[in-house]
Amino acid sequence: MRFNKTFLAAAGVAASVWTPAHAFESGSGGWAQKPGITLGGTTAEAPPPGLYMIDQMYTYQPNLTGPGNSVLNPHGTTTGVPSAVGATAFVWAPGWTFLGASYDASLAIPMGMYAAGSPLNAEASGMIRTYIAPVELSWKLGDSGFYVKSGLGMYVPDGTVTGVNGLGNLGTPWWTFMPEFIVSYLKNGWHFTANVYGEINTENTITQYRSGDILHAEFTATKSIGKWTVGPVAYYAGQVSDDQSSAFYGGAINVNRYNIWAVGASVGYNFGPAQLTVWALDEVSANASGGTPQLAPGPTITKGFTAFAQLSYRLWAPDEPVEAPKSPLYHK
């Protein structure tokens, strides 16, 4: 079986990792899903029927930026917050159709670690949160080369949770719901995809603080030449609604807005039964603002370089149907 990478439309579901971004509740990351995670081949085309597995890992090498960094580092230095994450994901495509669309579902289990430098001096490792996408629907728009996909995923609060506010490790004690909308043009070896998805958070069950909603937009423009696929990639991530504080923090809010832009490149190789993809991006712009003025150190966000690697393959495929004989096998 020659590997078909289009099943990655459901597979960009690995994980985020804790960073002191403070655009969420203090102690959690600025997002549930690491920006750029879906750029390893995600498209709006449905995968062929089967069960697929994806092994993914990345390293994020950022420093803190924003007004709060000047308070943490008054002498003009920055605080590094390196992290690494690995995840195993599964995609199931049963071959079902609904309203003219092909159906699939996915699940990912991520683990990670981080280490924050001076003056934060913190580190942790453990399970982040399980990602489940129970429904994704893909429509093929005739022979135009265009595909449209929509679905709903969620991060389940089953990660490693410690500390008085539940944010002393990589897990977070709330749900995150993620509606998605993907448009792709896939024809003559060209692959253009825009993947837009949101993060809608419930309250922290320990502090009752509700982190604001996040918008992601991730873009791919690659060309397949033989077994190689290469091209530029980019992403945007930003907070689009205000945090809602609670009595636990005396009504204080960390950050009400942040924006991050990144650009990079992707290289993939099709081995036949498996696809290996490596992509890397540098965050060229990052800013944070808002929040309660007296809350130290003030708004901060991370800005840095991320390198991803992903190996994808099909574990199982349904048996090919047996063609009926064109003439009777027995003649009387």
Side-chain angles (χ1 to χ4, degrees):
M1 184 269 296
R2 187 176 186 274
F3 178 79
N4 187 325
K5 75 172 184 177
T6 58
F7 81 88
L8 295 171
V13 295
S16 173
V17 67
W18 184 99
T19 55
H22 295 236
F24 271 16
E25 184 174 353
S26 180
S28 72
W31 43 75
Q33 183 160 292
K34 174 72 176 73
I37 204 78
T38 73
L39 294 172
T42 293
T43 76
E45 185 181 10
L51 177 65
Y52 300 87
M53 185 171 178
I54 304 94
D55 297 314
Q56 187 181 76
M57 65 177 298
Y58 71 81
T59 178
Y60 184 37
Q61 302 293 319
N63 293 312
L64 295 183
T65 188
N69 183 62
S70 299
V71 177
L72 289 170
N73 299 283
H75 301 295
T77 59
T78 59
T79 298
V81 195
S83 60
V85 169
T88 298
F90 299 91
V91 179
W92 179 53
W96 302 342
T97 59
F98 178 72
L99 298 177
S102 299
Y103 166 85
D104 61 63
S106 59
L107 176 146
I109 304 171
M111 306 289 289
M113 61 78 60
Y114 76 89
S118 177
L120 298 177
N121 298 318
E123 61 181 38
S125 62
M127 181 176 175
I128 304 173
R129 287 189 287 173
T130 299
Y131 176 87
I132 303 172
V135 56
E136 291 188 314
L137 298 174
S138 172
W139 287 267
K140 180 181 179 181
L141 305 184
D143 295 324
S144 65
F146 283 96
Y147 297 79
V148 174
K149 190 170 195 174
S150 183
L152 177 67
M154 66 196 74
Y155 278 94
V156 179
D158 61 350
T160 306
V161 172
T162 61
V164 294
N165 62 355
L167 300 173
N169 206 290
L170 284 83
T172 54
W174 63 75
W175 292 76
T176 300
F177 296 94
M178 300 180 60
E180 67 174 6
F181 182 76
I182 309 172
V183 178
S184 294
Y185 176 80
L186 308 169
K187 201 168 187 178
N188 299 323
W190 290 103
H191 165 198
F192 298 100
T193 291
N195 181 11
V196 179
Y197 58 98
E199 297 183 8
I200 303 170
N201 301 292
T202 63
E203 288 185 351
N204 182 324
T205 56
I206 298 173
T207 67
Q208 285 70 58
Y209 190 103
R210 183 183 178 277
S211 296
D213 300 335
I214 307 302
L215 175 68
H216 295 257
E218 306 193 351
F219 307 98
T220 303
T222 59
K223 172 68 173 177
S224 294
I225 304 172
K227 294 186 176 183
W228 292 92
T229 300
V230 297
V233 292
Y235 68 71
Y236 164 80
Q239 184 170 349
V240 295
S241 71
D242 294 346
D243 289 6
Q244 297 175 15
S245 191
S246 65
F248 186 92
Y249 296 104
I253 288 177
N254 284 306
V255 174
N256 272 333
R257 292 292 185 272
Y258 74 81
N259 297 280
I260 302 174
W261 291 91
V263 294
S266 173
V267 178
Y269 188 82
N270 191 334
F271 290 94
Q275 170 88 16
L276 176 65
T277 306
V278 177
W279 66 107
L281 301 98
D282 189 41
E283 291 172 339
V284 295
S285 175
N287 60 74
S289 61
T292 305
Q294 68 270 24
L295 187 63
T300 60
I301 191 67
T302 50
K303 180 184 179 184
F305 177 83
T306 312
F308 302 83
Q310 178 174 282
L311 184 66
S312 317
Y313 41 94
R314 187 158 68 177
L315 293 176
W316 170 85
D319 294 333
E320 296 292 336
V322 178
E323 185 177 353
K326 295 181 180 179
S327 61
L329 297 179
Y330 171 74
H331 298 275
K332 185 174 180 180

